[in-house]
Structure formats: C-alpha cells, structure tokens
Amino acid sequence: MKQLDRSAGIGFVGLGNLGLPMVSALVRAGWPVTAYDIRPNAVSAAVAKGASGAASLRDLAGCRVLALAVPDDAAVSALVRTPDLLASLADDPLVVVHSTVLPATAKALGQELADSPRTAFVDAPVSGGFERAERGDLTVMAGANAEALRLAQPYFDTIAGDVVHVGAPGAGSAVKLANQLMMFAALAGAHEALDLAQAYDVDAATVLKVAGTSTGDSWVARSWGFFDQVAAAYDAADVPVAYRPWSKDLWDIVAAARTAGVSLPVAGLLAQTMAETVERHAARSS
C-alpha cells in the first residue's frame, strides 16, 4: 500500500470530548480533514477549527483515512460495516478506530477487514485527555498488523506523543480497558481518601500536596479536578451519563472480563459506584 502523506484526506467521524481537539491538531498540522457528527453544532465547531464540514457520511467520499471516535461498539460496527462508506474511500484506505470498544468487537472488525486486501485497519484507542489531544500529544494503544501500523504512522505522528504497538486488533482495546481500570481504581481511592481527611477538618488541597511527594502520588491526584471539567463538557454536549467513561468504560471492563472468564471484583464494584461518585463531585464543583 502507498504510504500516507499530508495530502491524504481524513474523514473524521465523532466530534466529542477527544474527537474535536484531535481534528484541531490534524488541521493545524496541514491535513485536509472532513469532519462529521450527528450533531450539526459539533460539525460547526470543527469547521471553525479549519475542517471541512460533512452533512452526511456521503461527504467523506474520497478520503484516504476513516477515523472513528464515536460513542460505542454499536456505532463503530455500523460504520465499519457500511459497504457504501468503505467503497467510497480513496485507494488503499485506512480505518482507525479511536473509540473505546470491547476487545472482541475490535478483533472481529479487524478479521472482517483482513478479508479486504484494499483496506488496512488499526484498533487505536487513545488516552491523555482533551488538552493533550489539542496538542497532538495523546498516547495511542495500537492493535494492528505491521503493514497497517506502518501505513498509519504519519497520521499517528500528528495526533500522538507516544504510540505503543500492543498486538493485533483487539489488543489495543484490551490495553485501553486495563488503563481505565487502573485509573478509576485510583480515582475511587482518592475520593475516599479525601472524604476521610475532610472528616478530620483537613482540606483536599493539603492532602493532594502531601500525596504529590509521597507514596500516594498518582496521575489522578496530580490532575485533581480533571473529571469535573470533563463532566462539565459532557453536560454542555448533552452526553448521557451512561456514555461517559466512568460509566460506559467500567461496564465494558466487566463485560470483557466475563467474556475472558476473568474475575475482576474491583471493576465490578466500581461499575456500580463510580458514575455516582464522579457526577456528584462534579455537580458540587460547578
């Protein structure tokens, strides 16, 4: 397959908390981006950043890269399995799934597209938050064969500060869910720790200052307030709580564990409690 360069058109579908700043980074680097979302105001926001706006999936015709940052497995599967969409892409197309999906979904889609020699596929969930997405400094967990990864490298060089090839399609999604479980376990512990300290009249800022140079240090503690900002952004975009990472991703982790026959009691507890904790704290902070 011919290597990508920055003349290749990118069709970017899903302009949410990470998708929109990723589009901004791509446009700023000189890629021609056609952006689509079911919400017209999200498309308008992408156009304001320099992308071309798509009124429908038909407007993505001729793009070489199809990048997906849509909410869930059903949306990803429907798009990848839309024959007219894939057939309308330019020669040697690349399909990149940034959405957090079940490993089984990414693996199945990779196997299906492997039967189409003209299409490369990368299971490429990302992590880092909207500020790093805007800077083009995300971490990409890439599940792909060597040829697809080679083809995608110029694109990844624009959106990511770190690209880790973790295995075949499905492996990227598995690593993303593992990362999310570590993060939310730390977040749950931090909330309980601060509640304990505050019960003894010690404010959160003091505890976080101490943790920053102690064994309790974590990205969650150093980035306290991050999830309040994300929740506010989701509120502004009318994203249901069920589709927010502290709800959806944790249930995906439980589902993936069940499929693999792995016992994850901490994940099971967090799936029941984390959404309420995050939403309640965000509401108090607004």
Side-chain angles (χ1 to χ4, degrees):
M1 289 185 171
K2 180 183 176 182
Q3 186 66 28
L4 286 176
D5 59 39
R6 295 192 183 185
S7 66
I10 297 173
F12 205 106
V13 183
L15 305 172
N17 185 56
L18 287 180
L20 184 59
M22 290 171 74
V23 165
S24 179
L26 288 162
V27 169
R28 194 168 58 250
W31 294 85
V33 180
T34 303
Y36 176 72
D37 195 287
I38 60 174
R39 300 166 299 148
N41 61 327
V43 176
S44 297
V47 170
K49 291 180 178 293
S52 298
S56 73
L57 293 174
R58 289 190 295 273
D59 293 331
L60 304 182
C63 290
R64 177 93 186 275
V65 179
L66 177 64
L68 306 180
V70 292
D72 58 17
D73 294 60
V76 169
S77 297
L79 287 162
V80 176
R81 290 169 175 155
T82 301
D84 291 346
L85 174 59
L86 295 187
S88 74
L89 299 177
D91 291 341
D92 298 331
L94 171 68
V95 176
V96 185
V97 175
H98 295 304
S99 307
T100 301
V101 298
L102 293 170
T105 299
K107 182 177 180 179
L109 293 174
Q111 289 173 338
E112 290 173 23
L113 290 182
D115 295 332
S116 172
R118 69 179 294 272
T119 305
F121 176 81
V122 185
D123 164 31
V126 297
S127 183
F130 48 86
E131 291 183 355
R132 284 178 59 189
E134 183 76 33
R135 297 198 304 267
D137 188 36
L138 292 168
T139 295
V140 174
M141 294 145 264
N145 63 37
E147 174 64 14
L149 189 64
R150 180 194 67 80
L151 186 67
Q153 195 60 54
Y155 169 82
F156 287 150
D157 286 344
T158 303
I159 66 165
D162 193 17
V163 181
V164 183
H165 186 199
V166 296
S173 295
V175 173
K176 174 62 183 287
L177 293 181
N179 178 78
Q180 298 298 82
L181 178 53
M182 292 181 199
M183 177 184 66
F184 286 124
L187 182 61
H191 275 289
E192 291 192 3
L194 295 178
D195 287 346
L196 174 63
Q198 287 168 347
Y200 287 91
D201 300 321
V202 181
D203 62 69
T206 299
V207 179
L208 293 169
K209 181 179 180 180
V210 171
T213 56
S214 302
T215 55
D217 186 35
S218 67
W219 177 88
V220 163
R222 292 190 302 275
S223 307
W224 195 251
F226 172 85
F227 291 101
D228 296 333
Q229 296 176 50
V230 176
Y234 281 135
D235 286 342
D238 294 322
V239 176
V241 172
Y243 285 101
R244 302 181 187 192
W246 41 87
S247 179
K248 174 194 169 294
D249 290 5
L250 283 163
W251 285 109
D252 280 354
I253 290 164
V254 172
R258 177 172 294 181
T259 298
V262 177
S263 176
L264 299 181
V266 172
L269 177 61
L270 292 175
Q272 297 286 342
T273 61
M274 194 77 260
E276 181 180 355
T277 298
V278 172
E279 297 293 337
R280 182 175 62 245
H281 190 272
R284 289 202 307 261
S285 302
S286 62

